[in-house]
Amino acid sequence: MAGSGAAQARLDKIVRLIAAEMVAEVCSCYLMRAGEVLELFATVGLNPEAVHRTRLRVGEGIIGDIAAHARPLALANAQSHPNFAYRPETGEDPYQSLCGVPLIRSGRVRGVLAIQNTQRRNYSEDEIETLETIAMVVAELVTAGELVNPQEIASSSDVGLLPQRINGMGLNGGLVMGHAVLHQPRLTLREMVAEDPEEELARLRRAVASMHSAIDDLVEVGQATGSDEYADILESYRMFAQDRGWLARIGEAILQGLSAEAAVERAQNEMRLRLGQVADPYLRERQHDFDDLANRLLKHLAGKADPAVALPEDAILVARSLGPADLLDYGHGRLRGLVLEEGTAASHIAIVARALEIPLVTRCARALQLIEPLDPLILDGNNGQVFIRPAEDIVESFNHSIRLTTERRRLHREVRDLPSVTKDGEPVSIMINAGLQAELAHLESTGAEGVGLYRTEIPFMVRADYPDVSQQAELYRNILDQAGGRAVTFRTLDVGGDKTLPYFSGYEEENPALGWRAIRIGLDRPAMLRLQIRGMIRAASGRELRVMFPLVAEVREFDDARALMSMELERAKAEGIELPRDVKVGVMLEVPSLLWQIDVLLKSVDFVALGTNDLHQYFFAADRNNARIGHRYDVLAPPFLGALATLFDRCRAARVPVCVCGEMASRPVEAMALIALGARTLSVAPQAVGSIKALVRSLDASRVQAFLTPMLRSRDHSLRHKLRDFARDHGVSIDDVAVGT
Ligand code: PEP
Ligand code: MG
């Protein structure tokens, strides 16, 4: 590698050297070309005529298999492998054994390096590892661009400079326009191999120390953002930075002869491949933390630790993924929006974006390929869309939406302090949903009456270990303090599914949405649920405590959970702790089975919270996170509305208050239908309070009820159009704005 000369000549020399060193008759190198084709670029042992002629698709033959799965394969009898593809021009008939490894750079497969032997040979773990280390060095030569023009790979992905639209997943709402900043252009690794491992280890130690102290500084800056959740996330990130296993693997790679930089890269590739295969969502998310740490460490090794990024005023950051500390490198409050190729609602970056109020769209496939630095972008976090180099009509539509939003904000401010009562005198309480401490500030700004749903899981998801009773009590106390006497309904831990906790990882389910989650975990691990309730009781002392249990599927589950609550109240009494002034215990109605036990249930609950998000997914058996079927069934479908109508009737008859806290309540047409069916408390996203209040005040509840009731028996797929027309004809405010849809 260190030699001079053209890349092809060096590659030819490298395969000869490898064959000799590894005692193999053949050593070949295949490189990835446009269209996912692997081309034989150099060989010793196979027919030289085949070079640049033999081509395999990714997935074809053993070489294609190695590239497709990005993992090494060692076969004592390669020809009996089901994927063996015979290529006569290579003259490989006499070779029985094969050991091949992928060439990986920046998480992408760039080719395959393989050795072959005539005799049957069982390649040892050490030999495979050695080949992998060499493969890293070769990957570096490949990505330098002399062998395969990088444009070739890029041009095959039809990047033009035309306007483009990416549909992703909006994880934090907001509509913004700005210019693209691409996150972290990768540092090019110059020296792959090093003569003096001791010197490299010393460099590594110095870089790790300076990285740790820089992270300590970032944790302090993070604390100054005022978001406790963000501070917790940074704290657990700091722990990752000290992970001994990770640092030890880097050290081992140095001892194999790599430079410190190459060793970091190698450990990162390994980690990516390993974590990419695990099903556990928590561990998969941690991959982003390690990617981020590896890049940070490389910068410290290069002595370029100070990012000093020059940002345009209206920067929208585009990245594959982001670690929690990255945002602080750009400066708190300096980013208008975030576009990510990866990331789920449970990812740390999604939580941070919400806490810092930065609009975020994730799952934007190929964003880094399609977006050039400083491209104009429109990011629509409400609809999960990103417009790249938007055409004039889209910009015009954006400006129009912004004007409307500004106008609407003004109207919402006007109704903020007016009563939330329909035109025919029906009061409708408007509460907010929250899950971050920062969101409690919205109570004041929107004039909402309280928190109808406080999702307690975030503090559990962002910490590396389980918060103990006093930490939990402090969290809940802060929330009640900030609510300043307004009602707050705490929901006990709703984890499982894609919301996994660090200390629960390793548990894999085929159907997580139907699996071990929410109250099911709480009842199977009563100590955990009791600790949470204990924290809440301590926090509430002297004040009202409202608690509800998620995903209850039968009355017995509610009874059992309530019994735990009673035990905790007894315990608090015995300990002489000041009890809450009043305790109200309710249930989240999210599983259809409860509808058939509703009369029994209503005898024992103090209130019902209707979780339409989950109820709808279980009602229609349609996964709420599956984009393909997410919109197949409407919440305004007659059978679903019919079920809700029954529920409201029963609750009214039993005098049990019911609050709707699914997303349905935040959308004006849906909220209108809910009020028509009998809902009198809606808990909505903070941004929706203004438009829902405007809706309530413009609505005649009995008229829309008279309109809707007979339609509940219709055969329509959805009543959306009819309800929307009704609203328009009757001057009901149902403003909803989206750009480009
Ligand atoms: C619901 O299911 O409607 C709900 C409010 O809970 P979550 O969205 O947190 O599952
Ligand atoms: Mg739910």
Side-chain angles (χ1 to χ4, degrees):
M1 266 298 281
S4 57
Q8 177 71 53
R10 275 194 287 161
L11 190 61
D12 291 340
K13 197 165 162 192
I14 288 171
V15 292
R16 277 201 301 279
L17 271 169
I18 299 172
E21 287 292 325
M22 301 210 55
V23 200
E25 282 90 25
V26 176
C27 176
S28 315
C29 182
Y30 296 79
L31 300 188
M32 189 75 82
R33 304 216 60 156
E36 305 237 294
V37 169
L38 293 154
E39 178 177 313
L40 179 64
F41 254 73
T43 184
V44 53
L46 295 186
N47 184 358
E49 301 281 297
V51 170
H52 298 304
R53 277 182 50 213
T54 293
R55 290 177 156 217
L56 294 152
R57 275 175 290 107
V58 168
E60 182 188 1
I62 296 171
I63 299 297
D65 190 285
I66 293 167
H69 296 100
R71 58 158 193 237
L73 261 185
L75 305 165
N77 185 358
Q79 297 181 4
S80 67
H81 189 274
N83 249 2
F84 180 75
Y86 179 60
R87 286 306 172 89
E89 76 276 11
T90 60
E92 63 183 331
D93 316 47
Y95 306 111
Q96 289 219 34
S97 312
L98 182 147
C99 174
V101 296
L103 303 176
I104 297 176
R105 184 76 164 81
S106 308
R108 296 210 166 96
V109 175
R110 310 296 172 129
V112 173
L113 186 66
I115 54 173
Q116 288 173 272
N117 282 79
T118 332
Q119 300 298 323
R120 276 199 183 200
R121 170 167 167 189
N122 287 312
Y123 300 97
S124 70
E125 284 291 319
D126 275 354
E127 286 168 329
I128 301 170
E129 252 195 37
T130 307
L131 201 57
E132 279 186 290
T133 306
I134 301 170
M136 275 200 57
V137 184
V138 178
E140 198 56 31
L141 177 71
V142 173
T143 35
E146 216 183 304
L147 292 162
V148 179
N149 184 344
Q151 292 298 325
E152 176 184 319
I153 311 276
S155 65
S156 70
S157 59
D158 65 47
V159 183
L161 287 177
L162 297 169
Q164 298 258 5
R165 182 174 79 179
I166 310 182
N167 288 319
M169 188 183 188
L171 286 184
N172 197 34
L175 184 60
V176 287
M177 183 149 75
H179 287 91
V181 171
L182 305 195
H183 178 55
Q184 279 182 342
R186 279 200 61 85
L187 299 173
T188 333
L189 307 189
R190 291 189 202 292
E191 302 297 331
M192 296 299 296
V193 283
E195 293 293 316
D196 181 357
E198 283 309 319
E199 168 55 24
E200 292 305 294
L201 285 174
R203 285 183 60 226
L204 177 69
R205 274 195 296 273
R206 283 195 297 274
V208 168
S210 89
M211 177 179 82
H212 282 166
S213 86
I215 290 177
D216 289 345
D217 294 346
L218 279 180
V219 172
E220 262 176 47
V221 181
Q223 277 155 355
T225 62
S227 160
D228 289 353
E229 291 85 3
Y230 193 8
D232 284 345
I233 287 175
L234 287 168
E235 194 57 57
S236 70
Y237 176 78
R238 169 153 62 184
M239 285 178 53
F240 273 115
Q242 284 157 359
D243 186 284
R244 281 168 193 272
W246 177 61
L247 295 172
R249 272 192 297 279
I250 300 175
E252 279 159 24
I254 289 179
L255 292 176
Q256 284 182 357
L258 292 183
S259 67
E261 285 86 351
V264 172
E265 172 99 12
R266 160 107 201 242
Q268 187 186 6
N269 283 340
E270 269 178 22
M271 187 76 87
R272 257 201 215 133
L273 293 176
R274 215 150 38 90
L275 293 182
Q277 281 162 9
V278 298
D280 185 318
Y282 178 80
L283 285 181
R284 263 204 320 263
E285 280 302 331
R286 299 294 65 75
Q287 178 190 325
H288 299 156
D289 288 352
F290 278 111
D291 276 353
D292 176 36
L293 281 170
N295 284 335
R296 228 162 255 275
L297 189 49
L298 285 177
K299 282 191 197 155
H300 282 272
L301 278 167
K304 291 184 198 147
D306 180 13
V309 205
L311 286 184
E313 275 288 292
D314 55 358
I316 295 181
L317 191 64
V318 184
R320 195 165 81 133
S321 65
L322 271 187
D326 285 328
L327 287 183
L328 293 179
D329 285 344
Y330 291 93
H332 178 39
R334 295 196 56 206
L335 295 175
R336 262 201 199 169
L338 280 176
V339 178
L340 302 182
E341 291 187 348
E342 298 168 0
T344 61
S347 58
H348 284 174
I349 196 68
I351 294 170
V352 173
R354 261 174 70 198
L356 303 185
E357 298 193 48
I358 305 174
L360 163 67
V361 182
T362 62
R363 309 228 187 137
C364 293
R366 304 199 306 145
L368 283 171
Q369 275 164 280
L370 297 172
I371 301 175
E372 301 282 323
L374 295 180
D375 266 349
L377 298 180
I378 290 178
L379 182 154
D380 178 358
N382 307 328
N383 295 296
Q385 292 185 324
V386 180
F387 298 85
I388 309 166
R389 303 174 287 272
E392 234 165 77
D393 56 336
I394 298 285
V395 174
E396 186 38 51
S397 158
F398 168 83
N399 287 330
H400 179 66
S401 297
I402 292 292
R403 280 195 299 275
L404 277 181
T405 311
T406 318
E407 170 64 7
R408 193 137 358 96
R409 283 223 182 92
R410 195 183 57 72
L411 287 175
H412 294 165
R413 267 198 305 277
E414 279 174 14
V415 295
R416 181 190 175 284
D417 298 318
L418 298 176
S420 178
V421 178
T422 63
K423 284 203 323 207
D424 53 341
E426 289 285 333
V428 177
S429 300
I430 303 176
M431 324 276 278
I432 56 167
N433 293 342
L436 293 167
Q437 293 202 30
E439 285 166 334
L440 286 158
H442 295 300
L443 277 177
E444 194 50 41
S445 62
T446 61
E449 289 178 35
V451 180
L453 162 64
Y454 195 92
R455 296 178 165 105
T456 56
E457 44 274 4
I458 287 177
F460 292 83
M461 287 158 56
V462 300
R463 285 165 187 246
D465 43 28
Y466 200 85
D468 63 21
V469 178
S470 53
Q471 287 167 326
Q472 288 193 51
E474 192 184 327
L475 277 166
Y476 307 136
R477 196 174 297 121
N478 282 343
I479 293 161
L480 291 171
D481 290 349
Q482 284 181 60
R486 294 180 180 95
V488 176
T489 304
F490 289 109
R491 176 176 74 185
T492 61
L493 207 50
D494 185 5
V495 290
D498 68 342
K499 290 185 266 183
T500 315
L501 300 182
Y503 19 92
F504 271 14
S505 57
Y507 183 77
E508 205 178 302
E509 293 182 308
E510 200 155 324
N511 274 311
L514 303 180
W516 197 53
R517 43 174 301 206
I519 196 64
R520 299 170 184 181
I521 299 182
L523 292 175
D524 290 353
R525 298 275 183 278
M528 233 174 81
L529 184 55
R530 285 184 67 169
L531 283 186
Q532 190 176 26
I533 295 172
R534 199 174 302 163
M536 289 174 181
I537 292 173
R538 289 193 191 171
S541 65
R543 300 184 271 200
E544 183 189 42
L545 175 61
R546 299 172 58 85
V547 178
M548 61 187 177
F549 306 111
L551 213 80
V552 170
E554 53 170 0
V555 166
R556 182 56 195 263
E557 285 176 339
F558 175 78
D559 291 344
D560 290 347
R562 184 165 199 151
L564 295 178
M565 176 104 201
S566 305
M567 284 192 228
E568 282 306 317
L569 285 166
E570 285 303 318
R571 181 192 166 110
K573 200 168 9 164
E575 284 178 353
I577 290 170
E578 187 186 359
L579 294 183
R581 170 170 53 76
D582 190 15
V583 179
K584 294 268 187 285
V585 188
V587 70
M588 285 284 285
L589 201 146
E590 316 180 88
V591 185
S593 58
L594 262 196
L595 290 171
W596 276 267
Q597 255 196 318
I598 192 74
D599 293 328
V600 186
L601 179 78
L602 291 176
K603 289 199 173 80
S604 42
V605 295
D606 296 320
F607 63 92
V608 168
L610 180 56
T612 52
N613 305 340
D614 276 317
L615 186 62
H616 182 257
Q617 90 162 334
Y618 299 123
F619 190 86
F620 282 111
D623 182 351
R624 67 193 254 194
N625 292 321
N626 181 337
R628 240 196 220 162
I629 50 148
H631 297 288
R632 189 177 182 100
Y633 305 103
D634 198 352
V635 284
L636 294 176
F640 191 63
L641 293 181
L644 300 188
T646 312
L647 173 72
F648 288 120
D649 287 349
R650 298 291 170 84
C651 289
R652 193 182 320 111
R655 297 178 185 282
V656 173
V658 47
C659 164
V660 188
C661 53
E663 270 167 47
M664 225 184 140
S666 299
R667 300 203 205 101
V669 177
E670 284 86 332
M672 178 177 83
L674 288 166
I675 294 169
L677 297 176
R680 291 297 176 265
T681 306
L682 303 176
S683 189
V684 307
Q687 312 81 280
V689 172
S691 49
I692 298 300
K693 174 85 95 55
L695 165 92
V696 169
R697 293 181 51 82
S698 64
L699 180 75
D700 185 324
S702 57
R703 270 181 104 162
V704 60
Q705 183 188 4
F707 175 72
L708 179 59
T709 310
M711 291 195 303
L712 295 177
R713 305 182 70 84
S714 98
R715 308 175 74 93
D716 290 346
H717 163 70
S718 162
L719 302 177
R720 181 170 299 278
H721 292 297
K722 290 180 178 153
L723 285 164
R724 194 177 285 155
D725 291 347
F726 174 91
R728 296 224 168 99
D729 294 346
H730 293 80
V732 179
S733 161
I734 49 160
D735 48 23
D736 230 354
V737 177
V739 114
T741 51

